[in-house]
Amino acid sequence: MNKQFPATVVWGSATSSYQIEGGWNADGKGPSIWDVFCMIPGKVQDNDNGNVACDHYHRFREDVALMKSLGLKAYRFSISWPRVLPAGQGAVNQAGIDFYNALIDALLEADIEPWVTLYHWDLPAALEFEMDGWLGEEISDAFAAYADVCFRHFGDRVKNWITINEAWVVAILGYGHGVFAPGKKSKDLPYRAGHNLIKAHAKAVDVYRKKYQPEQGGKIGITNNCDWREPLTDSPADRAAAERALEFFLAWFADPIYKGDYPACMKERLGERLPAFTPEEQELIRGSSDFFGLNHYTTMYAADATHGSDGGSVYGNGGLSEDQDVNLSISPDWAMTDMQWAIVPWGCRKLLEWIAARYDNPPVYITENGCAFDQTPIDGQVDDRDRIAFFEGYLAAVHEAIEHGVNMKGYFIWSLLDNFEWASGYSKKFGITHVEAGTLNRVPKASALWYREVILKNGL
Ligand code: GAL
C-alpha cells in the first residue's frame, strides 16, 4: 500500500464490554439488558450469551500482553455500566472500579492509550424496569450521573471519552425492529429513544466539561454509525433518496450535535412522532462533541420508493424504511464479508467527504471498521488474505479522503478479539468465531493479525 498517513493519526483496535468481558455476575456486577435478553429463548442465534465470552474480566492481563505483542498503540474498550453501578444508580461496586483501574493501568504500562466508551449497549437491567430504559424521562440524568462516576475514578488517566456507541443501533434495533435488547418493536419508540440518547450524551459532556475537562484535559465525543448510500441512478429522485437515507441514519444524531436540531426532512416526514428539543436543550446539545466518532462497515444503493417501498432488511436497512421511502440494494459485483456486508471502500471515502462537507470538516475518528471471514486456524496459523485485502482497500480509501481534505485523526479496527456478536451470538456459522466462549481469544486470531500485517508492515 505504502501510503503516507499524517503522523498524528491514531491507530488502534476496539472491543466492547458485553462482547468480551464475561464475568456477567462476578464480584457484585448487576445484570444488564443484554444479560436478560440472552436468557430469552430464540433471541440470540444458538441461544448464545456473553456470560463468559472472552473471559476478559478474568484474563485481561493476557489480552493486554497480546495487544502489546501486536504493537498496538491505542485500544478502545467500553465500561459496563452495571459493573460499576449494579443498580444503574446509587451504590458503586468497588470491584468494578478496581477492574477498570487495573485494566487502565495495565494499558498505560504497556504504552497503549485507552479510549473509553461509556455506553456500548449494556444498560443496567434495573433501569429498564424502573425508568423504561431509553424511553424514560429520567434516563439521561442517570447516564450523566454514571458518567460522572467514571470521570471521577478514571479521568486522571483516561483522556479520550466516547459517550455513546451507535445511538442508531440502540434506537432502531432495540426499539424499532426489536432484534437487540430490550427487544421492543415499534414505529415510534426509536425516535423517543434516540431523543433521550442525544440528551444523555449532551448531559454527560456537560458534566465532563464543567467538572473535569479543565483539570483532566481530555476530549469527549460521541460515536455514530453509518453506511454509505449511493444513488442507484443519477435521477434527482434517487439522489434525493440517498441523501434522505443518510439523514435518517447519521444526521438524525449528528445534526443536533453539530447544528442544534434534527434534519428538516425528518421533521417534515415524522411530524409529531419526532420529539422536539427545548431551546435550553438545543443549547446544551449543539457543539457537544470534541470530535466526530464514526463506525462504518458497508455501502448500499438507495433508490426512491415514494411509490412503494420494498421494506428492506433489518441489518441492511437504514432505519424504518416506510418513514424514508427509500429502497436499498447491493450490486452483485460487490464482494461480501461473512456478515453479508458488501465490501465497498469507495463508500467509506464518500461518507467521510459527506461528513466533512456537512459538518464543517470536524476531526474524525473511525472508531470501528472491520470484517468477519471464515478462516479456521490451521496449525496455529490463519491465512488471512481476505482481511488484509479488506483493510488495505479501506485504508487506501481513508487515505484518499485525507488527500481530499478530510480531517481524519484516527482509525480503530473492529475487533481485537473474536467475540460475542449480539443477536448473531458466536456465529460459528458465519465464521465470526471458531471456538467456544471462554477460549475465544486464546487461538491465533484472524481478527488480531491485521495489525501486524497491515499497520506495522506499512509503517503506519
Ligand atoms: C457495530 C458494533 C460492534 C460490533 C460491530 C460488528 O455495530 O458497535 O459492537 O458488533 O458492529 O461486528
Side-chain angles (χ1 to χ4, degrees):
M1 189 172 52
N2 288 325
K3 305 255 183 223
Q4 206 55 42
F5 281 86
T8 47
V9 172
V10 175
W11 300 99
S13 187
T15 61
S16 85
S17 46
Y18 190 69
Q19 293 179 278
I20 67 162
E21 282 182 3
W24 77 286
N25 60 0
D27 306 330
K29 175 182 168 290
S32 79
I33 56 172
W34 269 94
D35 290 315
V36 177
F37 193 66
C38 291
M39 289 174 189
I40 305 172
K43 294 293 182 195
V44 173
Q45 192 173 311
D46 300 333
N47 293 318
D48 281 337
N49 60 52
N51 290 3
V52 180
C54 304
D55 203 20
H56 176 77
Y57 179 71
H58 296 110
R59 302 175 73 169
F60 70 95
R61 289 187 196 283
E62 282 171 57
D63 297 332
V64 173
L66 170 70
M67 295 177 216
K68 193 172 176 182
S69 73
L70 291 168
L72 204 67
K73 288 286 168 228
Y75 172 55
R76 172 179 178 236
F77 64 94
S78 77
I79 293 181
S80 158
W81 182 349
R83 195 179 292 291
V84 168
L85 297 173
Q89 51 188 342
V92 169
N93 177 32
Q94 189 56 43
I97 301 287
D98 293 347
F99 167 68
Y100 291 111
N101 270 333
L103 171 61
I104 292 163
D105 289 345
L107 289 168
L108 293 173
E109 176 76 15
D111 205 18
I112 299 167
E113 190 183 29
W115 281 70
V116 177
T117 307
L118 291 166
Y119 187 72
H120 201 127
W121 312 347
D122 41 1
L123 186 77
L127 301 186
E128 184 61 34
F129 294 124
E130 291 164 20
M131 295 183 176
D132 210 3
W134 288 106
L135 302 175
E137 264 311 301
E138 301 153 297
I139 192 76
S140 56
D141 290 320
F143 179 73
Y146 152 66
D148 193 330
V149 171
C150 295
F151 303 143
R152 184 161 69 244
H153 286 278
F154 312 126
D156 56 333
R157 288 150 296 147
V158 172
K159 303 300 170 192
N160 308 286
W161 294 100
I162 294 166
T163 52
I164 286 166
N165 180 70
E166 302 188 350
W168 179 93
V169 169
V170 177
I172 293 292
L173 302 189
Y175 292 87
H177 298 295
V179 293
F180 279 15
K184 299 196 195 250
K185 290 190 180 68
S186 154
K187 290 188 188 317
D188 297 328
L189 298 182
Y191 301 112
R192 261 175 64 194
H195 200 69
N196 286 328
L197 284 155
I198 295 167
K199 289 203 281 186
H201 152 78
K203 287 181 183 179
V205 171
D206 191 52
V207 169
Y208 188 64
R209 287 189 175 160
K210 290 201 172 116
K211 279 177 75 174
Y212 298 97
Q213 202 171 33
E215 191 193 318
Q216 295 182 349
K219 53 183 178 299
I220 188 163
I222 188 168
T223 277
N224 287 304
N225 59 307
C226 197
D227 304 343
W228 175 246
R229 297 297 182 235
E230 180 72 7
L232 181 65
T233 73
D234 212 24
S235 73
D238 284 353
R239 279 194 272 127
E243 189 69 9
R244 207 156 62 233
L246 291 166
E247 290 180 336
F248 269 82
F249 206 149
L250 183 57
W252 174 7
F253 300 100
D255 271 22
I257 291 168
Y258 285 87
K259 299 170 186 285
D261 206 355
Y262 292 119
C265 95
M266 289 187 76
K267 297 213 284 192
E268 278 157 25
R269 286 175 167 258
L270 298 170
E272 302 271 285
R273 295 168 57 212
L274 185 67
F277 295 114
T278 65
E280 296 73 41
E281 286 169 348
Q282 288 186 321
E283 188 63 23
L284 197 71
I285 294 164
R286 191 186 295 112
S288 61
S289 208
D290 295 335
F291 55 84
F292 199 107
L294 176 71
N295 292 353
H296 173 74
Y297 286 95
T298 192
T299 285
M300 294 185 92
Y301 283 118
D304 182 53
T306 307
H307 305 294
S309 155
D310 65 8
S313 70
V314 167
Y315 281 91
N317 183 0
L320 302 180
S321 48
E322 58 277 27
D323 291 339
Q324 303 175 37
D325 293 322
V326 176
N327 277 344
L328 300 172
S329 57
I330 56 170
S331 161
D333 299 337
W334 291 341
M336 308 293 277
T337 71
D338 287 355
M339 296 278 286
Q340 297 310 310
W341 292 343
I343 304 173
V344 190
W346 55 258
C348 181
R349 172 178 58 76
K350 289 192 175 190
L351 178 61
L352 289 169
E353 290 173 9
W354 188 87
I355 290 167
R358 190 176 181 102
Y359 302 113
D360 204 12
N361 210 9
V364 177
Y365 291 85
I366 292 186
T367 43
E368 287 180 29
N369 175 231
C371 51
F373 286 115
D374 189 0
Q375 290 137 333
T376 309
I378 298 165
D379 296 334
Q381 296 288 317
V382 176
D383 183 3
D384 212 12
R385 67 187 76 175
D386 291 341
R387 182 169 282 95
I388 291 167
F390 177 96
F391 286 123
E392 287 185 340
Y394 275 83
L395 286 172
V398 168
H399 190 266
E400 264 176 65
I402 295 174
E403 282 174 345
H404 293 185
V406 168
N407 189 9
M408 264 292 306
K409 294 286 192 199
Y411 180 89
F412 291 76
I413 280 172
W414 187 271
S415 170
L416 177 74
L417 308 171
D418 287 349
N419 58 50
F420 175 80
E421 181 54 31
W422 309 111
S424 307
Y426 296 101
S427 285
K428 290 171 208 75
K429 220 162 91 187
F430 357 119
I432 292 176
T433 67
H434 299 98
V435 282
E436 298 304 322
T439 57
L440 284 180
N441 56 344
R442 305 300 163 321
V443 291
K445 250 164 325 309
S447 40
L449 295 176
W450 61 270
Y451 196 82
R452 206 155 48 207
E453 294 301 320
V454 181
I455 305 289
L456 297 187
K457 270 204 185 149
N458 286 285
L460 301 174

